[in-house]
């Protein structure tokens, strides 16, 4: 990793327009522990569990700290069980942390819930805030009443969201009859009807097809750029992060491993993909750099003197085609996951060479 850093804040659209502002979201040493009941299997285990309950403690978050400026669009990535959704739920006021400090737009989420939720929008990819048996438009009307949005503001916002997210044909359709992609678009609109300053998105593109993903990505990026909406996005899809986020935080086992830019996740190594007429017998220096072979295509990994390596390839072998690129960003992220808590951002390339 190049230049990775912790507790770094990059200016968002609002900062560029009006000078650097104070951090909008502040998290310091956040920890969350869950108490989980355990019992032995079977009927006898269930009866024993009633008389003598056993518990174990699971630490979902451990000392997580970061700051987000107003108008930033930040990706928050990590494997399943890393602590992403727990963080979002604390920031939304749904959960109370075991320890640590958290402030969102000057409010403590779980202590000022009514005022706090009026400023935020939340989308959970695996749950809906819409009423299952009601048409989409009636869910929107109910949310207008819940958030006490003035009629004129509601109509203006609703009409704009319906047009941008292409929801017009779906307004009279019961939510239970929507496809996943259609429901996610409707959920995103529902979270924005009250024009929140902050948007928390927990895996909003999970299970979506390519067209729905592209539409969702485009809308979120435009909303951030045009309205200065602060966005925290959790996802497993690195394409989502690369397409939308200027900054990315990586968490695993409840510990923040890295806080930087998407460029910081790119390895300094290069992949040289060579298509031969016929794969020749490679010199030892070249054969040692082979990552994979498929038919007449050979992929090499080069960390220094890339131009010199390419010149050697074309001069020494019958090359049909040659391309140079970074290794897939998913490989870098997966390597960080495998290193686990306590890994040093920036040490990965050196460790890989050993």
């Amino acid at each position: 990793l190049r230049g990775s850093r912790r507790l770094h804040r990059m200016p968002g659209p609002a900062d560029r327009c009006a000078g650097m502002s104070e951090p909008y979201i502040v998290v310091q040493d956040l920890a969350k522990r869950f108490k989980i009941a355990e019992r032995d299997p079977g009927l006898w285990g269930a009866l024993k569990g009633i008389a003598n309950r056993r518990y174990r403690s699971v630490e979902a978050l451990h000392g997580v700290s970061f700051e987000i400026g107003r108008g930033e669009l930040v990706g928050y990535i990590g494997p399943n069980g890393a602590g992403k959704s727990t963080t979002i739920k604390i920031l939304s006021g749904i959960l109370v942390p075991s320890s640590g400090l958290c402030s969102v737009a000057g409010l403590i989420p779980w202590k000022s819930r009514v005022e706090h939720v009026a400023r935020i929008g939340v989308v959970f990819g695996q749950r809906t805030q819409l009423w299952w048996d009601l048409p989409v438009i009636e869910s929107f009307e109910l949310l207008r009443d819940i958030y006490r949005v003035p009629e004129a503001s509601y109509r203006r916002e609703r009409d704009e969201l319906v047009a941008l997210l292409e929801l017009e044909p779906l307004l009279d359709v019961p939510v239970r009859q929507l496809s996943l992609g259609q429901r996610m678009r409707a959920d995103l609109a529902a979270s924005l009807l009250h024009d929140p300053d902050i948007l928390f998105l927990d895996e909003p593109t999970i299970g979506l097809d390519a067209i729905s993903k592209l539409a969702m990505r485009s809308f979120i990026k435009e909303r951030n750029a045009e309205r200065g909406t602060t966005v925290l996005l959790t996802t497993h899809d690195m394409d989502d992060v690369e397409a939308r986020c200027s900054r990315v935080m990586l968490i695993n086992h409840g510990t923040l491993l890295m806080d930087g830019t998407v460029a910081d996740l790119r390895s300094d190594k290069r992949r040289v993909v060579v298509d031969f007429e016929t794969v020749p017998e490679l010199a030892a220096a070249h054969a040692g750099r082979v990552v994979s072979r498929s038919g007449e295509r050979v992929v090499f990994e080069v960390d220094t003197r890339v131009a010199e390596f390419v010149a050697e390839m074309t001069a020494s072998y019958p090359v049909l085609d040659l391309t140079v690129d970074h290794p897939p960003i998913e490989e870098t992220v997966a390597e960080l996951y495998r290193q686990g808590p306590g890994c040093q951002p920036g040490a990965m390339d050196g460790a890989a060479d050993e």
Side-chain angles (χ1 to χ4, degrees), residues 12 31 149 181 242 263 270 279 312-313 324 347-348:
V149 182
E242 288 192 88
R270 297 291 188 276
V279 178
E312 289 176 5
M313 284 286 108
V324 180
M348 192 184 68

Side-chain angles (χ1 to χ4, degrees), residues 5-6 12 29 47 61 68 91 116 150 158 172-173 207 210 233 248 265 275 277 312 319 326 333 336-337:
R5 60 266 193 198
R6 296 181 185 273
D29 296 323
L47 294 173
L61 295 177
I68 296 176
L91 291 173
H116 177 62
R158 180 201 63 192
D172 295 322
V173 179
L233 165 73
V248 60
L265 285 173
D275 291 316
E277 293 179 8
E312 289 176 5
V319 174
H326 288 277
V333 172
L336 275 173
Y337 290 167

Side-chain angles (χ1 to χ4, degrees), residues 5 18 147 152 213 237 256 261 290 324:
R5 60 266 193 198
Y147 285 101
K213 279 188 179 182
D237 191 336
L256 200 63
T261 66
V290 173
V324 180

